[in-house]
Amino acid sequence: MSKTRTIKSIRGVHDILPTDSPSWQHFEKTFSSLLDSYGYSEIRMPIIESTELFKRSIGEVTDIVEKEMYTFTDRNESSLTLRPEGTAGCVRAGIQHGLLYNQQQRLWYNGPMFRRERPQKGRYRQFHQVGVETFGITGPDIDAELIAMTARLWQLLGLKNIELQLNSIGSNASRQAYKTVLVEYFTKHYDALDEDSQRRLSTNPMRILDSKNPQLAKLIATAPSILDHLDDDSQQHFDQLKNLLDAMEIQYTINTRLVRGLDYYSKTVFEWVTTELGSQGTVCGGGRYDGLVEQLGSKNTPACGFGMGIERVLDLMEAQGIVPKQNKPDFYLMMIGEGTLAKGMQLAEQIRQQIPNVKLITHCGEGSFKSQIKRADKSGAKIALIIDNKALENQQIIFNPLRDREQPQQTIAEDKLIAILLNQMV
Ligand code: ATP
Ligand code: MG
């Protein structure tokens, strides 16, 4: 053993190990085919962007920009940041490539995000989100479609016990009116606020409603409600959205304290929340952000989207005992004795060429019958295919069922092999 110290991954980031991959792949496949079925296209943005993008979009007075971003100075003195979320980069890319101007777009992405938070279950420094963003659609129909799509995802994954919380934070004008009464209310209770909230009272008072400090819960619960300050347009949008959800039989709870942690939202905001993951119970959050495209320098464009934490969804699947089927190999090819290796590898390629979606493992590293059959068994393969010297000489392959004891071992002529293996695939 070497005496050199080994190097470990840094705090709050994780390897996704081979035993975890089936769950990730199951989620990702389900998600991408769902999005495809709704007519959405995938977009892939860089992980690294200029810091200004996040400051201008997420907002200077938010947890993310104030304390969670991985920001560094590049060699040419420009300030760069590892993306903490996907919406800003998606809008940046949409503007840059002319995808948003006078058009409708329905986009989705999947990838790692970075936030310097205190690591705990369900909260990591590198985590993964799938996100969906739509542009150029004003009405609540698209808000409802996004919510219906997430409800369908839970159904496809077999997840239960996730509650939809819904709110409207209105237009800019309604928020201005609301902020005045909110500031009045919290000013009356200034001494009861924590330091963060006292600061936010002057910088971004609605953010106080998003506080996770349990000591503020009661004060926040009795604060004035945004829903009493919606202008007509926002009210109508919200009412229509609720009607559409009712029509699709999607249940929701109105949560007037739901404001979401980012600055760019307007009108609809929603979260899918579960009680089964402790305090990291929000698996998905989203809403409308009509002002953001203009804020980032293009023409005023309505937009609506959501982000979903993949780790939290997978944790919930685990908590609910949902285990995706392991994709076991169909065949394990053993080659025993002088001269069988070349034949075996050639045959393996032929099988892969002629049987679509076959999962075939070729034994590597030679070895005795005993050691090879042990590996074949451990691989989980249904059938071992064996070439030994005798089979090689007679142009045959030995077909050895590993799981089904009723099925006998057979010796098959090489020219019949593909037909017999194809039969095993159904
Ligand atoms: P939270 O209130 O839990 O901090 P957030 O409001 O900061 O969440 P968003 O920015 O809306 O989260 O991100 C969308 C989703 O991404 C969240 O609902 C959650 O599922 C997931 N998420 C956010 N931060 C983390 C993290 N640090 N680790 C793992 N998942 C996360
Ligand atoms: Mg957060």
Side-chain angles (χ1 to χ4, degrees):
M1 271 289 236
S2 150
K3 288 226 175 67
T4 317
R5 184 177 58 90
T6 59
I7 298 168
K8 299 230 163 70
S9 61
I10 58 173
R11 203 164 121 77
V13 311
H14 292 278
D15 300 303
I16 297 167
L17 298 175
T19 42
D20 305 327
S21 304
S23 307
W24 284 78
Q25 289 172 350
H26 174 64
F27 173 83
E28 286 169 348
K29 274 189 202 146
T30 308
F31 187 83
S32 65
S33 69
L34 174 73
L35 269 288
D36 190 44
S37 77
Y38 277 78
Y40 287 57
S41 312
E42 185 183 4
I43 180 168
R44 300 187 190 197
M45 297 84 68
I47 282 168
I48 185 168
E49 299 269 5
S50 58
T51 304
E52 193 198 348
L53 172 67
F54 302 113
K55 286 195 174 164
R56 243 162 79 186
S57 54
I58 298 170
E60 301 257 7
V61 196
T62 55
D63 278 350
I64 294 181
V65 173
E66 279 181 336
K67 54 192 184 201
E68 295 175 359
M69 293 204 307
Y70 281 99
T71 295
F72 63 96
T73 309
D74 197 7
R75 287 167 202 267
N76 67 358
E77 302 302 312
S78 54
S79 178
L80 303 181
T81 294
L82 297 183
R83 64 179 184 193
E85 51 97 58
T87 305
C90 185
V91 172
R92 195 261 319 129
I95 295 173
Q96 185 174 334
H97 302 286
L99 304 181
L100 308 187
Y101 203 82
N102 287 344
Q103 319 172 41
Q104 290 192 353
Q105 289 288 350
R106 291 164 149 106
L107 305 173
W108 69 272
Y109 50 82
N110 172 15
M113 307 293 163
F114 304 85
R115 298 184 193 178
R116 201 175 193 294
E117 303 197 67
R118 190 172 69 78
Q120 52 198 291
K121 177 125 180 97
R123 195 174 288 288
Y124 311 106
R125 290 182 171 176
Q126 175 175 336
F127 63 100
H128 298 78
Q129 273 185 357
V130 285
V132 176
E133 317 290 354
T134 66
F135 300 97
I137 309 169
T138 315
D141 42 5
I142 195 71
D143 311 28
E145 175 170 294
L146 293 177
I147 290 172
M149 168 193 290
T150 40
R152 185 160 299 286
L153 180 67
W154 311 143
Q155 192 196 33
L156 289 172
L157 294 172
L159 286 170
K160 298 193 174 66
N161 191 17
I162 314 181
E163 182 187 78
L164 173 62
Q165 299 198 349
L166 190 64
N167 194 22
S168 172
I169 57 169
S171 61
N172 256 334
S174 19
R175 280 197 302 283
Q176 284 319 320
Y178 176 56
K179 275 179 191 169
T180 311
V181 289
L182 196 64
V183 168
E184 227 168 77
Y185 171 81
F186 281 125
T187 305
K188 262 194 271 167
H189 300 93
Y190 188 81
D191 292 337
L193 295 176
D194 59 18
E195 213 179 293
D196 256 358
S197 301
Q198 287 179 344
R199 200 163 38 84
R200 285 185 174 168
L201 191 55
S202 53
T203 54
N204 197 343
M206 278 175 69
R207 203 57 66 232
I208 300 174
L209 300 176
D210 200 34
S211 165
K212 302 220 163 67
N213 182 351
Q215 279 166 340
L216 297 186
K218 223 169 129 190
L219 193 61
I220 289 171
T222 49
S225 159
I226 177 79
L227 294 183
D228 296 328
H229 296 85
L230 295 185
D231 57 275
D232 290 346
D233 176 44
S234 304
Q235 185 66 55
Q236 203 183 26
H237 188 102
F238 194 44
D239 290 340
Q240 284 173 352
L241 172 61
K242 287 186 287 184
N243 287 338
L244 290 172
L245 294 177
D246 291 339
M248 293 186 288
E249 296 180 22
I250 295 171
Q251 277 162 21
Y252 52 84
T253 307
I254 304 290
N255 176 357
T256 59
R257 310 300 155 206
L258 186 66
V259 291
R260 311 264 312 116
L262 306 90
D263 254 6
Y264 48 58
Y265 285 102
S266 57
K267 293 185 178 161
T268 311
V269 289
F270 67 88
E271 285 189 355
W272 287 94
V273 185
T274 174
T275 51
E276 291 182 41
L277 294 177
S279 44
Q280 271 60 252
T282 307
V283 289
C284 173
R288 185 162 273 283
Y289 51 96
D290 290 341
L292 183 59
V293 177
E294 190 173 15
Q295 207 172 303
L296 289 177
S298 187
K299 193 185 126 190
N300 191 348
T301 304
C304 192
F306 66 77
M308 184 182 296
I310 302 181
E311 283 85 352
R312 293 191 192 173
V313 175
L314 296 186
D315 281 349
L316 189 60
M317 286 174 67
E318 194 182 312
Q320 298 189 358
I322 301 167
V323 188
K325 213 171 81 220
Q326 291 275 342
N327 184 12
K328 300 233 170 96
D330 303 297
F331 309 111
Y332 189 100
L333 179 63
M334 298 162 46
M335 291 146 288
I336 295 148
E338 198 65 53
T340 55
L341 185 60
K343 178 71 194 173
M345 293 200 70
Q346 177 245 320
L347 200 63
E349 288 313 308
Q350 195 188 333
I351 294 170
R352 292 180 179 119
Q353 171 80 17
Q354 296 189 17
I355 306 183
N357 300 322
V358 72
K359 187 164 169 179
L360 165 69
I361 299 181
T362 315
H363 181 88
C364 284
E366 305 185 44
S368 65
F369 177 87
K370 205 171 144 197
S371 69
Q372 292 201 27
I373 196 91
K374 236 182 177 168
R375 281 192 199 262
D377 189 45
K378 203 169 161 210
S379 76
K382 287 193 278 291
I383 289 150
L385 301 173
I386 308 165
I387 307 178
D388 58 13
N389 288 119
K390 190 168 160 224
L392 182 67
E393 207 171 295
N394 299 332
Q395 296 182 316
Q396 292 172 328
I397 287 96
I398 302 163
F399 178 100
N400 183 351
L402 295 171
R403 313 291 149 199
D404 183 359
R405 296 276 164 234
E406 310 273 281
Q407 221 184 342
Q409 175 170 312
Q410 316 169 41
T411 305
I412 301 171
E414 202 188 306
D415 57 0
K416 302 262 161 47
L417 181 69
I418 298 292
I420 290 175
L421 298 192
L422 265 170
N423 233 351
Q424 295 295 320
M425 298 290 294
V426 286

